[in-house]
Amino acid sequence: MSKHTYGNNLGFQTRAVHTGNDVDQETGAIRRPITMANSYELPYDPSDMNWSSAGEKPLYTRNGGANQNYLQERLQSLENGEDCVVLASGVAALSGLFFALLKSGDHIIFSNITYIAVYRLLHELLPEKYGIETTIVDTSDIQQVQAAIRPNTKLIHIETPGNPTTQISDIAAIAQLAHQNGVLLSVDNTFASPYNQRPLELGADLTVESLTKYINGHGDAMGGAVIGSRDLISRIRADSMVNLGGAISPFNAWLIMRGSSTLPLRMREHNNNALAVAHYLEGEAGVRFVAYPGLESHKGHKVAKNQMPGGFGGVLSFGLQADHDTHNRFVAALKIITSAVSLGHDESLIVFLGENDERQYLYPEEFHGGFFRLSVGIEDAEDLIQDLRQALAQVGL
Ligand SMILES: *Cc1c(COP(=O)(O)O)cnc(C)c1O
């Protein structure tokens, strides 16, 4: 038995290091190599091959390749699913999922708080161009989800914690409601990562990850994944790779594989640092509000505590007791924390989301004055807190 076929009976950390890696049969190298070839040797009689699907054995890198397969093995194990497809970005994974599972006349319910591309895809693109009906719902309220279900509802898509407000939705409760109504549930797990939360174990049908964030963790490669049952993933794989062409580069799959080995160690630091920073900010008079699922003041804290056994993640949002420009001056005064989008990198990143965000009407009241999304990195927490403290002082708060 090769190492990578070890099952889920091993611990999460052991699987993060070993699953999907093996001794290279040709060279004896203890790390599997990067296979950049576009094409793989065909069998003796290729005429009965199914060209429109991705088979077990790689054929063409857009249908599947060696490095993609290794990464899929690892992620399928870490998310505790039957199968996984890895793609070029988180958005490629999301659009592949929607494209594969929905058709015109279908109805989809999705969270009021989601990644911007999900909002655009589900609120504008799919309804306008493909006749798919969508309803935006505050999915932190199970009653609202229930009330939105229609006979033609096919999918509920939630993000928890939600980007950028860290809103929490109850995965197990929504999964139960979805299944009572013959509806599928997909969960964007990017903010939590499988170390902190595993939606499939809570009853979700599919989990989506932007690998660009915590799973790679080093801010140097983009990727996305969907994990779930064999049947659903084979449908998503066929459409998203073979027909939409969202294949990830083998090199990026290799980089993400390398980054993912330390996911458990990094997540523990992110969790601890973010909690320390959130507590610090909560005690500052110049801070208007702090939203972090690990704080008891967070509306979704109780649910988060139940469904995020590993920790509450590294992202928090907060606003200052100040005007628009003071928020920008605060960011300019930071010395360690970098102003940039993305999250889940080793380094801390901050982004100011101003009042003209097109989705502001979907956010709770306190977010309306403009706010920051802070991705707390794995630096020393004391240094991050000191950086925030000196920047607050510089803007007179
Ligand atoms: C970043 C992000 C995405 C998109 O991922 P990309 O890899 O940037 O395409 C999707 N969902 C969430 C929650 C994200 O934070």
Side-chain angles (χ1 to χ4, degrees):
M1 188 170 76
S2 75
K3 275 168 71 169
H4 69 266
T5 56
Y6 283 175
N8 280 1
N9 55 336
L10 289 172
F12 188 91
Q13 234 164 271
T14 306
R15 286 179 286 121
V17 172
H18 287 279
T19 305
N21 188 39
D22 207 346
V23 174
D24 179 41
Q25 290 309 304
E26 179 142 352
T27 61
I30 64 166
R31 293 275 157 157
R32 282 172 158 172
I34 309 172
T35 302
M36 291 300 287
N38 293 349
S39 212
Y40 292 78
E41 191 179 37
L42 291 173
Y44 170 73
D45 181 4
S47 65
D48 60 355
M49 282 184 14
N50 181 359
W51 294 99
S52 64
S53 77
E56 285 283 293
K57 212 177 155 304
L59 158 71
Y60 186 56
T61 298
R62 179 162 42 71
N63 300 37
N67 295 96
Q68 289 98 309
N69 288 348
Y70 307 151
L71 182 58
Q72 283 167 183
E73 277 173 42
R74 178 166 297 178
L75 297 175
Q76 168 254 308
S77 171
L78 296 183
E79 294 277 0
N80 206 0
E82 280 179 8
D83 201 358
C84 168
V85 56
V86 293
L87 293 152
S89 66
V91 169
L94 288 158
S95 54
L97 187 163
F98 300 143
F99 188 88
L101 300 185
L102 299 171
K103 61 178 184 344
S104 103
D106 287 347
H107 175 240
I108 174 168
I109 294 166
F110 73 102
S111 295
N112 53 328
I113 308 295
T114 57
Y115 189 68
I116 180 78
V118 171
Y119 175 77
R120 297 240 173 88
L121 274 165
L122 296 181
H123 185 59
E124 290 160 17
L125 203 87
L126 293 179
E128 285 164 17
K129 295 184 118 167
Y130 302 105
I132 286 161
E133 298 169 25
T134 66
T135 308
I136 300 175
V137 163
D138 176 351
T139 52
S140 69
D141 177 358
I142 190 83
Q143 253 85 42
Q144 289 191 41
V145 183
Q146 181 151 30
I149 294 178
R150 303 179 190 167
N152 59 339
T153 306
K154 290 286 151 57
L155 182 70
I156 300 172
H157 177 77
I158 64 172
E159 206 173 288
T160 182
N163 187 355
T165 69
T166 77
Q167 172 176 279
I168 298 293
S169 302
D170 187 333
I171 299 171
I174 297 174
Q176 195 178 24
L177 180 66
H179 297 157
Q180 281 162 0
N181 291 277
V183 175
L184 294 172
L185 172 65
S186 56
V187 180
D188 187 329
N189 200 39
T190 301
F191 262 41
S193 92
Y195 178 78
N196 284 337
Q197 168 176 281
R198 287 183 292 281
L200 301 177
E201 291 176 1
L202 299 165
D205 299 284
L206 294 160
T207 178
V208 183
E209 293 280 358
S210 165
L211 307 176
T212 313
K213 314 292 171 55
Y214 289 107
I215 292 179
N216 180 52
H218 296 75
D220 51 14
M222 304 200 89
V226 192
I227 303 97
S229 69
R230 228 161 256 123
D231 170 50
L232 288 173
I233 297 301
S234 72
R235 285 165 61 191
I236 296 167
R237 175 180 286 124
D239 276 346
S240 59
M241 292 179 77
V242 184
N243 301 325
L244 288 173
I248 191 172
S249 135
F251 181 58
N252 277 10
W254 180 87
L255 274 175
I256 292 166
M257 184 91 172
R258 186 169 79 156
S260 69
S261 294
T262 54
L263 176 71
L265 286 73
R266 287 184 285 105
M267 286 320 297
R268 283 199 289 274
E269 292 298 315
H270 286 296
N271 292 340
N272 290 338
N273 283 358
L275 192 60
V277 168
H279 279 306
Y280 158 71
L281 288 171
E282 224 179 15
E284 281 287 349
V287 173
R288 198 173 74 242
F289 77 94
V290 188
Y292 180 63
L295 292 176
E296 295 199 6
S297 58
H298 193 286
K299 192 177 148 230
H301 178 66
K302 260 181 73 182
V303 174
K305 220 172 151 176
N306 265 328
Q307 71 187 16
M308 303 180 79
F312 302 101
V315 184
L316 54 89
S317 39
F318 68 102
L320 301 180
Q321 210 68 265
D323 64 6
H324 183 102
D325 193 52
T326 305
H327 283 80
N328 284 326
R329 286 195 294 120
F330 172 80
V331 170
L334 291 165
K335 296 190 166 107
I336 296 171
I337 300 168
T338 306
S339 173
V341 293
S342 198
L343 55 100
H345 297 194
D346 43 13
E347 69 175 306
S348 296
L349 302 174
I350 194 165
V351 55
F352 176 46
L353 297 158
E355 303 88 326
N356 40 17
D357 183 335
E358 66 193 279
R359 296 169 297 164
Q360 188 150 168
Y361 73 101
L362 296 167
Y363 297 162
E365 198 66 32
E366 67 261 34
F367 289 84
H368 287 192
F371 64 97
F372 302 115
R373 184 187 69 196
L374 173 60
S375 171
V376 180
I378 59 173
E379 301 98 331
D380 289 297
E382 305 76 60
D383 290 337
L384 298 176
I385 289 169
Q386 179 50 30
D387 198 24
L388 293 162
R389 184 181 286 125
Q390 65 82 27
L392 280 173
Q394 272 205 48
V395 300
L397 289 171

